[in-house]
Structures are given as C-alpha cells and as structure tokens.
Amino acid sequence: MEAARVEYGDYPSERWDKTAIEDAEVVEETSEESKYSMDAYILTSLDMKNIIEEFRDMIDNDSRGDIDGVHYTVPYKAYDIEAIHHYKTHEERGGDSYCGVWEMVGVVDEDRIEVSQVIDEDGIEYPNVMRKLNEYANKH
C-alpha cells in the first residue's frame, strides 16, 4: 500500500503586491488536510476550534480562571487573539443539610469567552475574524 503523496507547487509570493498571499498550493490532499488551511490569514472551522480550545485550556489551568473579566492572549498563525473570560456565579441553598441548615452550593450563571481583539504582526486589526470567532465560541 502506497502512502498518500502531497505535491507542492512553488509559486512566487504576492505579499509584496499587497494582494492575496500564495506560497504553495496543495495539489492532492487527504481528508484531514482539507480541513486545515496553510494560509496564515485564513482560519477554517478547525482553526477556530483550536483557538477556542486553547483559550479554554488557558482558563482551566489558570488560578484566576474563576474571576470575571480576566484577559487572555493566544498567538495563532499570523494573528494575536485577545479574549475576555466572562464568569458569573451565585450561591443557592442545596447539597447536604445538618439540623435543618442547608449548605450553600455555587451555581455558574455565565462562563463564556468573548474575543475582544484580533491583530496581525503589523498591528492591523481584523474585526471580521473577531466576529467569526465570537460566533463560533457562542455556538460551541
């Protein structure tokens, strides 16, 4: 059985013309590669999933992960993506009781990520990418 081959074409970069960026074109791709874009400025749904998971991992591993309004930054491809963690809780009576006194249990009202800024290495902002990432974060 022959392994899947990928052939790359060598094309000059159009970055200096400030038009579309093309460094290589995948001639034959597997199903796994078709979900991922090699272009540094294109984010696929797999890229957005990776970005949101990266934020979740950062929040889960941060001692301030249960504080509302903490800012996090993830570098991804050509972008620096900044997000705010919104976290709100309240206490309710519940759990165990002792002599008619119930213990208080914390209930999470809001736990979401809001992408607040997407910039590239030149400091250029990308509001459409920010909007798409926020839509993806709200759905997942």
Side-chain angles (χ1 to χ4, degrees):
M1 178 174 183
E2 186 176 315
R5 291 183 10 194
V6 177
E7 296 180 20
Y8 296 95
D10 188 17
Y11 299 95
S13 174
E14 296 176 9
R15 182 174 187 153
W16 303 112
D17 297 334
K18 300 296 182 195
T19 57
I21 300 170
E22 279 187 13
D23 289 328
E25 179 182 338
V26 178
V27 176
E28 180 184 334
E29 39 183 51
T30 65
S31 61
E32 182 68 26
E33 290 170 330
S34 65
K35 296 178 186 176
Y36 182 79
S37 172
M38 295 295 286
D39 190 332
Y41 289 91
I42 293 178
L43 296 180
T44 64
S45 59
L46 180 63
D47 292 322
M48 289 189 279
K49 177 183 177 220
N50 289 339
I51 292 166
I52 299 304
E53 285 179 356
E54 178 91 20
F55 279 121
R56 277 286 157 210
D57 288 344
M58 290 175 79
I59 292 165
D60 291 344
N61 294 319
D62 188 6
S63 62
R64 304 170 305 151
D66 59 349
I67 298 174
D68 184 44
V70 177
H71 290 253
Y72 296 91
T73 302
V74 168
Y76 195 86
K77 288 189 174 183
Y79 300 113
D80 279 333
I81 303 162
E82 184 177 312
I84 303 169
H85 181 220
H86 295 285
Y87 190 79
K88 296 190 181 9
T89 61
H90 74 277
E91 291 184 339
E92 290 182 353
R93 232 175 45 162
D96 295 331
S97 70
Y98 178 74
C99 296
V101 178
W102 292 89
E103 68 180 15
M104 299 304 281
V105 176
V107 176
V108 177
D109 297 321
E110 181 180 27
D111 182 9
R112 67 180 176 90
I113 297 168
E114 176 191 2
V115 177
S116 58
Q117 186 178 39
V118 177
I119 59 173
D120 66 7
E121 62 266 3
D122 296 326
I124 299 170
E125 292 189 11
Y126 292 85
N128 287 338
V129 175
M130 181 181 72
R131 182 178 52 78
K132 288 288 191 185
L133 282 168
N134 279 322
E135 287 173 4
Y136 185 88
N138 290 334
K139 289 180 185 177
H140 299 92

